[in-house]
Amino acid sequence: MLSEALQLLLSDPFWVAVLRIATPLIIGTLGVLMCERAGVLNLGIEGIMVAGAYTGWLAVYLGAPLWVGVLAAMATGGLFGLLHGVLTVPLALSQHVAGLGITLLATSLSYFAYRVTFPKVTTPPTIQPFQAVAPNAMDGIPVLSVFAASTPLTWLAFALVALVAWVLYRTPVGLAIRMVGENPQAAESQGINVTAVRIGTIVAGSALMGLAGSFLTLSAFNAFFFNMINGRGWICVALVVFASWRPGKALLGAILFAVFDAMQLRLQQVPGNVLPYQLWLMAPYLLSIAALILVARKASYPQALMVPYRKGER
Amino acid sequence: MTEATPALQLSGITKRFGALVANDNISLRLDKGEVLALLGENGAGKSTLVSILFGHYAADAGAITAFGKPLPAADPKSALAAGIGMVHQHFALANNLSVLDNVLIGLEPLWRLRSHAAPVRKQLAEAALRFGLAINPDALVGSLSVGEKQRVEILKALVRGAKVLILDEPTAVLTPLESAALFVTLKQMVRQGLSIIFISHKLDEVLQISDRIAVLRAGKLVAECATADATKPQLALWMVGRTLTPSVHPTRQRGAPLLQLDAACTAGHPKLKSVSLTLHAGEIVAIAGVAGNGQAALADLLCGLVPLESGSVRIDTQPLSSSPSACVNTGIGRIPEDRSHIGVVGDMTVWENAVIEDLTDSRFTRAGFVRREPSQQHATALVQQFDVRTQGVNVPIRGLSGGNIQKLILGRVLSRKPKLIVANQPTWGLDVGAVAAIHERLVAACVPVGDGSTAAGVLLISEDLEEIMALADRIAVMSRGQLSEALPKAEWTLASLGLAMTATTDQEITRAA
């Protein structure tokens, strides 16, 4: 069994699966990370991913090109982000409650819209999803062959990690975002519009969440199912803590989780398995908790996370 | 000097908040290259005045000119542009960001593909060099000491081209050595032509640093004089409006040993290393030292917040209990250092905070329910007895000033008739009136009252050497977790105390020099 596991770790299909599992987690985690860097928890991610998955898929089903589907998903995410931003920033409502409310709203709306649009289907209608960039073109070359067998959205996920890191650490806007999440009073006293920066960041982050959801319907699968997000949004929220709010570490965490998940999928199928498969299903979550305990206990939170900013108050 | 254009000229500034006149027709002048001290008690209108100056508020009447040009009202940006820089008492810094990031924020347009940090880094280094404010631009602000954070705030103002620097109670958060270092910096700035408004309620430092003093009381400018002509009693009279009677120290009887620490050690950081001390009833023993040398660990140990690692601690010959509630019930009264976060629960009302330590007392609870009526009466009594200025006992306590919160905490402690009072920086940041009131009460607690009660002992932890000299019977110095022998006050001088506090921390000395 050990040799089988080792063989598995070295095979290309395994790593392609890892990247496929990791892609929505990478993008979603970046979305949560951006919101939290600006000081706002966004528990709407689970629902925003559902809505992104649905609208992205619907756009393509109705005849739009795949990339327009991606944009539609991002716009939907941004819209829900705007709602979350208005509720939590100027109205200063509880970020937990607003976020969970958005998850319920976005999920239910998507399911409702799906039922209304396709009242009579028993098998979900399908689309032609994103294909591997260049399957078999790089065979035999490690790493590159894995990427060649992945879809463009996976490539985009990696590019986004670099982009978000650049924006946060190398641009004035990024500094404003981080400052607003650390000490909004200080930002305001330097002429930064805290409300605008926070809402803008939430909209951008939520657009990424929508994009993350659309990967599932436009790339990983070719149809929309109920419950297809299945807790991935919550994993992203945990990954942000694991990543100590750093994009690079978020990438690492998402891939680590995906490795565990891909392994359990494979190990379930190893013949002669005496362990019930539910135990394998639990494995990635248990390992994530263990990793979280090891890595994130000493994480330093953005100091103004979940602290609403009211002008002129201390 | 008077012929030259003043750096700032305020004429007839008036500001009302409802019925309250915060600033009443105030006219002031700040010359180039001078330090003007704005002296006044908390609530005298100092902060309102500088807020108007810096453009946070609009004055109801009056005008300001900066370097001969009129300053538009209520516009922080034009105040900045006119070269007015402000260092707030509560730093406007982000702890998880670097020094450079904290200085850079707001200096460049938001929409740019790349931050241009290099020129700011250079400016920062230049300003640091010019004024002796050495700082590592890449250090995280959270890792800096309070004094260094203040340096970052000053540098922030200087990089923005400040020619007039307003410092709001800058020494309130500093240790004596950090204050000394700040004064050196300020003198250097003034020599180089900057002007400084120094807000304070501490007479000594005002006399030490300023060229001129303006005294505010209840919104009015009551006096203005050159520092050379000022005396401490006169300033105090102007500031408070009445003569403060020097606190009479009733003769105290040293009673039986009350607190005995024998080679007490704690874990954690900073930790206590084999601390021994005996404190008698009716005695005030002061612990002097630079912040962060283990004073907090000692206070936490006695309040049951930190467990004893080795050695022994006895109260009245009984071993010290290991939980905070047990410590309170054995008769330890706690005046914590962080009064507004540890001492009280800000969002709870005054009366709730007043009885929060007495929730097992049948006077205030019955069958697990709080008895409102008696609790509120108790709180009202405390408020009157200890002169806590509040709009009733049903308001959240966070709205009270630090001095009034501290008076309530003191009342709460004393109403339990404690055997031992652990007072950690009891008057830190308070104005003269509140300080006098608190000192008086602490001393009084060490004298037995007529009804057969015993006198309490006070362990006073303080960085304020004058306070220590005024109150203590014996003084011990804490340094790097070790405590010196507690010697009678007469055997110490301010100089020898200062020396003992710093003897082992070489870097502090260099920083002060």
Side-chain angles (χ1 to χ4, degrees):
Chain A
M1 183 165 148
L2 196 70
S3 67
E4 276 169 337
L6 209 67
Q7 215 177 4
L8 185 72
L9 274 177
L10 292 174
S11 75
D12 265 11
F14 172 77
W15 283 102
V16 173
V18 165
L19 288 192
R20 188 178 62 235
I21 296 168
T23 300
L25 298 179
I26 296 168
I27 303 173
T29 305
L30 288 176
V32 181
L33 186 144
M34 283 183 67
C35 296
E36 293 196 5
R37 270 297 175 124
V40 180
L41 180 73
N42 192 349
L43 292 183
I45 178 173
E46 183 77 12
I48 293 175
M49 282 178 74
V50 176
Y54 175 67
T55 45
W57 172 83
L58 184 70
V60 175
Y61 180 80
L62 294 177
L66 281 165
W67 285 107
V68 174
V70 168
L71 288 179
M74 292 180 76
T76 312
L79 218 57
F80 280 109
L82 186 64
L83 176 61
H84 187 60
V86 170
L87 292 177
T88 54
V89 182
L91 298 180
L93 300 185
S94 158
Q95 298 181 1
H96 290 101
V97 177
L100 291 175
I102 287 198
T103 282
L104 292 174
L105 174 72
T107 309
S108 313
L109 266 182
S110 308
Y111 291 177
F112 174 69
Y114 182 74
R115 272 282 170 246
V116 169
T117 339
F118 304 97
K120 291 198 180 101
V121 293
T122 43
T123 45
T126 56
I127 55 154
Q128 183 61 36
F130 279 107
Q131 298 299 314
V133 177
N136 309 324
M138 298 281 183
D139 277 359
I141 310 168
V143 187
L144 284 182
S145 59
V146 174
F147 275 93
S150 301
T151 68
L153 287 186
T154 300
W155 290 43
L156 180 64
F158 278 79
L160 279 171
V161 173
L163 180 70
V164 169
W166 177 272
V167 168
L168 280 179
Y169 293 104
R170 289 280 184 273
T171 66
V173 172
L175 177 57
I177 292 174
R178 287 183 293 138
M179 183 60 107
V180 154
E182 292 286 339
N183 188 340
Q185 283 82 6
E188 184 88 52
S189 74
Q190 298 305 331
I192 308 282
N193 184 338
V194 175
T195 310
V197 171
R198 280 195 166 170
I199 291 188
T201 313
I202 299 169
V203 168
S206 303
L208 289 184
M209 296 171 190
L211 170 60
S214 74
F215 173 82
L216 294 171
T217 47
L218 300 183
S219 183
F221 305 105
N222 56 2
F224 177 79
F225 308 100
F226 292 151
N227 299 323
M228 79 184 307
I229 303 300
N230 196 18
R232 284 184 175 83
W234 308 137
I235 298 287
C236 293
V237 175
L239 280 174
V240 173
V241 184
F242 174 86
S244 314
W245 292 269
R246 288 178 175 275
K249 282 189 180 174
L251 174 68
L252 200 72
I255 288 179
L256 201 64
F257 182 90
V259 167
F260 292 148
D261 204 25
M263 257 167 62
Q264 68 87 9
L265 280 171
R266 297 293 192 286
L267 291 175
Q268 275 183 49
Q269 297 155 7
V270 173
N273 203 337
V274 283
L275 289 172
Y277 77 94
Q278 287 91 344
L279 275 180
W280 290 116
L281 277 179
M282 272 164 54
Y285 298 93
L286 287 178
L287 288 169
S288 313
I289 290 173
L292 208 54
I293 290 169
L294 288 176
V295 177
R297 260 194 325 174
K298 289 193 173 161
S300 58
Y301 286 68
Q303 308 239 304
L305 181 59
M306 285 185 279
V307 183
Y309 174 68
R310 295 186 184 92
K311 217 173 165 173
E313 247 184 53
R314 263 215 285 273
Chain B
M1 198 70 186
T2 37
E3 299 84 44
T5 330
L8 281 178
Q9 176 77 55
L10 283 71
S11 26
I13 298 289
T14 301
K15 176 74 185 169
R16 292 183 198 86
F17 294 107
L20 179 82
V21 186
N23 286 156
D24 189 359
N25 195 18
I26 292 176
S27 299
L28 264 180
R29 191 190 77 245
L30 175 70
D31 286 323
K32 284 173 202 158
E34 77 164 352
V35 180
L36 172 70
L38 214 51
L39 186 67
E41 285 196 288
N42 293 340
K46 298 167 295 184
S47 298
T48 309
L49 188 64
V50 293
S51 294
I52 291 170
L53 201 51
F54 194 61
H56 282 317
Y57 296 142
D60 295 328
I64 304 169
T65 57
F67 300 99
K69 292 191 197 99
L71 193 68
D75 183 12
K77 275 193 185 143
S78 48
L80 269 175
I84 301 173
M86 174 105 195
V87 176
H88 293 275
Q89 192 181 352
H90 302 273
F91 304 141
L93 297 173
N95 283 334
N96 280 335
L97 267 52
S98 72
V99 170
L100 184 64
D101 279 347
N102 270 287
V103 174
L104 189 59
I105 183 82
L107 274 184
E108 51 183 352
L110 215 48
W111 301 109
R112 234 185 215 189
L113 282 178
R114 190 170 164 47
S115 282
H116 295 213
V120 178
R121 183 185 285 271
K122 206 169 137 230
Q123 269 176 292
L124 194 62
E126 277 166 10
L129 195 70
R130 197 168 140 210
F131 299 106
L133 294 160
I135 202 98
N136 171 13
D138 297 312
L140 281 189
V141 165
S143 70
L144 303 179
S145 71
V146 177
E148 287 169 322
K149 283 183 191 172
Q150 189 174 57
R151 242 181 247 187
V152 178
E153 280 284 42
I154 294 175
L155 284 169
K156 217 165 109 181
L158 293 176
V159 167
R160 281 166 173 72
K163 285 173 288 192
V164 175
L165 209 54
I166 305 170
L167 298 144
D168 189 4
E169 311 234 350
T171 58
V173 290
L174 299 185
T175 64
L177 280 167
E178 285 173 331
S179 299
L182 172 69
F183 287 177
V184 173
T185 306
L186 295 186
K187 294 230 160 94
Q188 207 166 336
M189 289 177 173
V190 171
R191 268 201 301 278
Q192 302 200 21
L194 268 70
S195 310
I196 291 167
I197 296 184
F198 185 93
I199 302 171
S200 181
H201 55 243
K202 293 185 192 162
L203 300 175
D204 291 292
E205 60 185 37
V206 160
L207 285 169
Q208 190 188 338
I209 188 70
S210 68
D211 300 311
R212 276 190 313 127
I213 302 175
V215 186
L216 290 185
R217 188 175 76 231
K220 288 197 176 71
L221 182 66
V222 288
E224 206 183 332
C225 69
T227 306
D229 307 330
T231 64
K232 217 168 136 182
Q234 181 60 62
L235 288 175
L237 178 64
W238 279 331
M239 185 161 98
V240 188
R242 61 194 150 86
T243 5
L244 283 174
T245 44
S247 49
V248 191
H249 287 199
T251 41
R252 279 171 267 154
Q253 290 276 308
R254 188 160 137 171
L258 178 67
L259 166 72
Q260 284 169 297
L261 286 112
D262 190 16
C265 299
T266 62
H269 182 86
K271 53 189 171 190
L272 296 184
K273 291 176 207 151
S274 188
V275 166
S276 299
L277 174 74
T278 305
L279 191 152
H280 300 78
E283 184 182 38
I284 298 179
V285 173
I287 309 290
V290 177
N293 272 290
Q295 297 96 318
L298 178 61
D300 286 350
L301 172 68
L302 295 177
C303 298
L305 291 170
V306 166
L308 190 65
E309 193 95 315
S310 64
S312 76
V313 182
R314 288 170 184 283
I315 305 261
D316 258 358
T317 70
Q318 296 295 311
L320 179 80
S321 343
S322 57
S323 86
S325 63
C327 284
V328 172
N329 289 330
T330 44
I332 295 177
R334 305 165 301 168
I335 302 180
E337 181 176 14
D338 186 350
R339 59 184 78 102
S340 43
H341 294 112
I342 309 287
V344 295
V345 185
D347 284 327
M348 282 164 61
T349 62
V350 172
W351 74 264
E352 285 170 321
N353 276 292
V355 297
I356 207 164
E357 284 185 345
D358 297 292
L359 291 179
T360 50
D361 190 327
S362 60
R363 282 183 298 161
F364 306 126
T365 53
R366 179 189 288 150
F369 291 93
V370 177
R371 300 172 65 184
R372 273 174 173 257
E373 212 50 7
S375 305
Q376 287 170 341
Q377 277 166 10
H378 175 70
T380 311
L382 283 186
V383 161
Q384 279 166 2
Q385 208 182 329
F386 287 85
D387 187 28
V388 181
R389 308 218 178 122
T390 166
Q391 300 168 318
V393 295
N394 283 318
V395 296
I397 201 161
R398 72 180 136 77
L400 273 60
S401 74
N404 286 312
I405 289 178
Q406 191 72 324
K407 283 192 258 182
L408 187 88
I409 292 175
L410 187 70
R412 180 173 79 193
V413 165
L414 294 180
S415 71
R416 296 179 60 91
K417 308 221 170 355
K419 290 179 205 158
L420 170 69
I421 300 170
V422 180
N424 193 356
Q425 308 265 36
T427 58
W428 182 88
L430 302 186
D431 63 49
V432 199
V435 171
I438 283 161
H439 283 174
E440 202 175 308
R441 296 283 186 172
L442 280 178
V443 171
C446 295
V447 180
V449 208
D451 56 1
S453 64
T454 50
V458 176
L459 185 74
L460 170 72
I461 299 174
S462 180
E463 285 169 37
D464 183 346
L465 293 183
E466 296 213 8
E467 172 171 78
I468 286 177
M469 280 306 195
L471 295 186
D473 300 305
R474 287 188 297 142
I475 302 170
V477 176
M478 188 153 243
S479 169
R480 293 189 178 176
Q482 291 169 319
L483 192 66
S484 76
E485 200 189 336
L487 297 172
K489 176 166 61 178
E491 295 178 25
W492 292 102
T493 61
L494 274 179
S496 68
L497 266 179
L499 215 61
M501 282 163 66
T502 54
T504 45
T505 57
D506 313 335
Q507 81 203 53
E508 291 286 353
I509 293 173
T510 31
R511 196 182 290 164

